[in-house]
Amino acid sequence: QVQLVESGGGSVQAGGSLRLSCAASGLTFRSYAMGWFRQAPGKEREFAAAISPSGGNTYYSDSVKGRFTISRDNAKNTLYLQIDSLKPEDTATYYCAGSRYYPAAQSRNYNYWGQGTQVTVSS
């Protein structure tokens, strides 16, 4: 059974930083591209970042480029998202997901999803 478990969310002030983690089990982690999506209240889920199975390639949406850094540790079966210079508009539930495709910016290309971790940014 595949499990993706996010952690690291919380409430922070604008300008701060957070590091989200996603622990994977039940799949051959190093064989999957991974991604981060986010969903703000009342909005559709949107793509944020993706990383290739080896970790050698990354891809970002324009809205987060320069502030978000996706990385992975295949030895630990863990995906990360470093978020810097947080803005109130970054407030959302953040989800990690696994895909056979890279780069994949559309949620329909992802097979596995975590339950999400909440990030709240106050001004």
Side-chain angles (χ1 to χ4, degrees), residues 23-45:
S25 61
L27 78 169
T28 306
F29 183 71
R30 64 181 181 276
S31 297
Y32 281 81
M34 299 296 294
W36 286 99
F37 288 74
R38 63 183 183 179
Q39 188 167 18
K43 295 188 177 181
E44 293 187 353
R45 190 172 299 186

Side-chain angles (χ1 to χ4, degrees), residues 44-106:
E44 293 187 353
R45 190 172 299 186
E46 67 167 346
F47 168 78
I51 189 166
S52 61
S54 68
N57 297 96
T58 57
Y59 177 70
Y60 299 93
S61 69
D62 288 342
S63 63
V64 307
K65 196 176 297 182
R67 296 190 300 117
F68 287 26
T69 304
I70 188 171
S71 63
R72 66 191 295 162
D73 185 337
N74 285 346
K76 296 182 178 180
N77 287 355
T78 303
L79 175 73
Y80 303 100
L81 185 68
Q82 177 71 36
I83 310 175
D84 297 318
S85 303
L86 277 156
K87 304 176 181 180
E89 51 264 42
D90 293 321
T91 295
T93 301
Y94 284 71
Y95 300 89
C96 68
S99 174
R100 286 292 195 181
Y101 306 102
Y102 176 84
Q106 297 187 348

